[in-house]
């Protein structure tokens, strides 16, 4: 297939950018003709630049023109949009429709329902704007860039495209990485019939580790919403009994550095290349993932599974939907250091149970998070998008399509719908 990939990269390379790069490489390796058109937030640094980017977020006419030229030149079978915010904007969908190109949109976050994209505010999960015709709470609280002024244009983007029915009319298939994210997006008004669940994948396969290092590991951004405060408090509760290695950087770096110097057993490695991070996972005994965010799918959990590493997660979040409590890891009460410490002790006290969880985690990876599984699902999604695009142009009814419904690899039938 000829696949045009559109992506607005973040200023700092992150999980979404990595997922896009992996998928792009996977498609090319499978023999598909892939063309990438990307823009970057790297040049958006000063306050006025952030404001200017937000102002064009509702509808970037220039991006529509440039993407239209790319489509005319490359003539893709499908256009796969990843992040469109803020420099591409939903205007790129109109460029696709004008040239009758099918559109697939992967939602890596909740931006089409939440101004900051993460459904989190003031230290807690937040859904105040979900389902509202006008997301005024997000503006009131300055959820985008901690600024009511910058949040206004983002809110305008959501209002404009709800009025235009962009999400229901201009995208043939949405991809979300988890059933957890699908449920939340449907609750917020996204048409269930348009959503396919395809998890992110891990490539190359790092292989199962020996897990002989005797330490727990945390990998990720060092921030309060990621549960780092809970993590540090739990290790104070453990009193140095169990070693902890922390990999990452972020606004809580100074607090982590202080804890590493004051709390026995804590080692801070700072940010590390992916290869070294995976080696540390292969030697660890458990991954600790105490995030308070409703992330669409934390790839680090899939990476842990690939190395045969059990995962302790905060209950109630997307990671908890990936980790089967007592089988591939354990659930700890969100934001509760004492419960997190208790779950860590359990894994250390029950060696055989921890090993069995690690084997089950590896099995879950092989069933759900490999490149082969992802490629198979993506081809079905592209085919369905093309069929729906033709049906929209001809007025014919689309037959139901079988797509991967969740990480287990089971299939579900997309409802038989007539595009409107």
């Amino acid at each position: 297939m000829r696949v045009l990939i559109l992506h607005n990269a973040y200023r700092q390379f992150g999980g979404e950018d990595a997922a896009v790069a992996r998928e792009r490489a996977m498609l090319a390796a499978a023999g598909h003709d892939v063309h990438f058109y990307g823009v970057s937030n790297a040049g958006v640094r000063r306050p006025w630049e952030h404001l200017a980017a937000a102002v064009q977020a509702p509808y970037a006419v220039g991006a529509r023109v440039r993407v239209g030229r790319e489509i005319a030149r490359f003539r893709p079978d499908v256009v796969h949009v990843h992040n469109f915010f803020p420099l591409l904007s939903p205007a790129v969908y109109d460029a696709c429709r004008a040239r009758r190109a099918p559109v697939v949109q992967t939602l890596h976050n909740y931006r089409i329902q939440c101004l900051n994209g993460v459904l989190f505010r003031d230290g807690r999960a937040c859904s105040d704007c979900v389902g509202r015709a006008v997301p005024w709470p997000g503006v009131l609280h300055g959820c985008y860039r901690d600024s009511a002024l910058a949040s206004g244009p983002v809110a305008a983007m959501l209002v404009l495209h709800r009025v235009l029915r962009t999400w229901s009319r201009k995208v043939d298939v949405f991809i979300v990485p988890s059933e957890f994210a699908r449920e939340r997006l449907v609750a917020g008004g996204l048409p269930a019939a348009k959503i396919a669940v395809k998890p992110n994948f891990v490539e190359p396969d790092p292989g199962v580790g020996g897990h002989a290092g005797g330490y727990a590991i945390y990998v990720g951004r060092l921030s309060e919403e990621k549960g780092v405060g809970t993590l540090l408090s739990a290790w104070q509760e453990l009193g140095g009994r169990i070693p902890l290695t922390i990999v990452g950087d972020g606004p809580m770096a100074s607090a982590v550095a202080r804890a590493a110097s004051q709390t026995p057993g804590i080692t801070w490695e700072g940010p590390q290349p992916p290869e070294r991070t995976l080696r540390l996972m292969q030697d660890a005994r458990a991954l600790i993932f105490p995030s308070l965010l409703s992330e669409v799918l934390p790839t680090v959990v899939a990476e842990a599974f690939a190395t045969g590493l059990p995962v302790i997660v905060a209950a109630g979040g997307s990671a908890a939907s990936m980790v089967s409590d007592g089988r591939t890891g354990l659930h700890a009460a969100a934001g509760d250091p004492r419960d997190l410490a208790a779950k860590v002790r359990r894994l250390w006290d029950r060696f055989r149970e921890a090993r069995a969880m690690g084997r089950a985690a590896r099995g879950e990876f092989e069933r759900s998070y490999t490149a082969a599984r992802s490629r198979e699902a993506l081809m079905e999604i592209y085919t369905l998008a093309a069929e729906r695009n033709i049906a929209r142009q001809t007025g014919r009814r689309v037959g139901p399509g079988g797509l991967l419904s969740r990480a287990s690899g089971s299939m579900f039938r997309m409802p038989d719908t007539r595009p409107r």
Side-chain angles (χ1 to χ4, degrees):
M1 297 186 75
R2 296 172 65 81
V3 183
L4 173 60
I5 295 177
L6 306 181
H7 181 55
N8 190 148
Y10 292 86
R11 190 173 65 181
Q12 294 181 332
F13 188 85
E16 291 184 29
D17 300 313
V20 174
R22 274 197 290 262
E23 195 159 276
R24 177 184 174 188
M26 177 263 287
L27 287 168
H32 300 287
D33 191 358
V34 180
H35 180 64
F36 179 78
Y37 179 78
V39 296
S40 173
N41 293 343
V44 183
R45 295 181 178 275
R46 291 178 284 273
W48 68 268
E49 290 172 329
H50 285 296
L51 183 59
V55 167
Q56 70 172 332
Y59 202 93
V61 176
R64 174 181 175 174
V65 172
R66 291 189 294 273
V67 168
R69 290 172 182 160
E70 292 294 322
I71 295 171
R73 185 182 66 81
F74 183 61
R75 293 183 297 170
D77 296 312
V78 64
V79 178
H80 191 159
V81 186
H82 286 272
N83 181 37
F84 59 71
F85 181 84
L87 302 178
L88 290 176
S89 85
V92 298
Y93 303 148
D94 285 336
C96 298
R97 284 174 68 90
R99 289 156 183 82
R100 300 190 173 189
V103 179
V104 172
Q105 168 71 64
T106 294
L107 296 176
H108 295 277
N109 54 47
Y110 302 98
R111 183 78 66 187
I112 65 172
Q113 296 179 350
C114 170
L115 271 61
N116 63 25
V118 294
L119 297 176
F120 192 86
R121 176 174 59 80
D122 297 335
R124 63 174 181 85
C126 174
S127 58
D128 289 353
C129 292
V130 176
R132 290 184 182 272
V134 179
W136 61 264
V139 179
L140 179 66
H141 294 285
C143 287
Y144 180 69
R145 295 286 174 185
D146 295 319
S147 166
L149 185 63
S151 296
V154 185
M157 177 187 78
L158 300 187
V159 172
L160 172 65
H161 292 286
R162 284 172 187 163
V163 171
L164 295 177
R165 297 174 60 198
T166 294
W167 317 125
S168 60
R169 297 179 60 190
K170 299 181 182 180
V171 177
D172 294 296
V173 182
F174 288 96
I175 297 175
V176 296
S178 67
E179 192 67 39
F180 177 91
R182 181 182 186 274
E183 291 172 359
R184 274 145 188 78
L185 288 161
V186 170
L190 197 66
K194 290 227 172 184
I195 305 175
V197 179
K198 184 190 77 66
N200 296 332
F201 63 94
V202 178
E203 179 74 10
D205 179 356
V208 177
H211 304 293
Y215 57 85
I217 187 170
Y218 169 87
V219 177
R221 179 173 166 81
L222 306 183
S223 60
E224 192 63 41
E225 65 271 16
K226 286 286 191 176
V228 172
T230 303
L231 177 74
L232 299 179
S233 297
W235 249 258
Q236 288 181 339
E237 184 84 14
L238 290 167
R241 177 187 167 194
I242 297 166
L244 170 68
T245 295
I246 297 176
V247 177
D249 202 355
M252 289 189 68
S254 59
V256 170
R258 186 165 55 251
S261 66
Q262 296 176 355
T263 304
I266 297 181
T267 301
W268 179 36
E269 295 279 350
Q272 295 294 321
E275 297 80 8
R276 166 137 173 87
T277 299
L278 288 169
R279 286 196 299 271
L280 288 168
M281 286 186 183
Q282 288 172 324
D283 207 27
R285 193 154 160 185
L287 174 76
I288 315 299
F289 192 83
S291 178
L292 304 174
L293 292 174
S294 299
E295 299 173 67
V296 291
L297 186 141
T299 303
V300 68
V301 174
E303 290 172 338
F305 283 179
T307 68
L309 188 63
V311 183
I312 301 177
V313 299
S318 58
S321 70
M322 297 173 68
V323 176
S324 177
D325 191 22
R327 190 178 71 86
T328 57
L330 297 172
H331 294 187
D336 187 336
R338 289 188 176 182
D339 193 47
L340 177 57
K343 297 301 164 52
V344 174
R345 288 193 199 97
R346 172 177 164 178
L347 277 191
W348 256 251
D349 291 343
R350 304 180 188 180
F351 180 80
R352 289 184 179 178
E353 182 181 17
R355 286 287 184 172
M357 288 181 186
R359 290 192 294 272
R362 174 65 191 189
E364 190 66 28
F365 162 75
E366 292 173 351
R367 281 188 296 273
S368 310
Y369 303 108
T370 65
R373 174 69 75 179
S374 186
R375 183 171 60 250
E376 174 188 337
L378 196 57
M379 289 303 101
E380 290 192 47
I381 291 167
Y382 285 171
T383 299
L384 180 61
E387 290 174 352
R388 286 184 166 178
N389 182 55
I390 292 172
R392 184 174 60 244
Q393 297 170 35
T394 62
R396 295 176 181 174
R397 180 173 290 275
V398 183
L403 299 176
L404 289 174
S405 66
R406 57 189 304 273
S408 66
S410 62
M411 308 293 283
F412 78 97
R413 307 298 293 178
M414 295 282 282
D416 189 2
T417 58
R418 184 184 297 274
R420 302 182 186 280

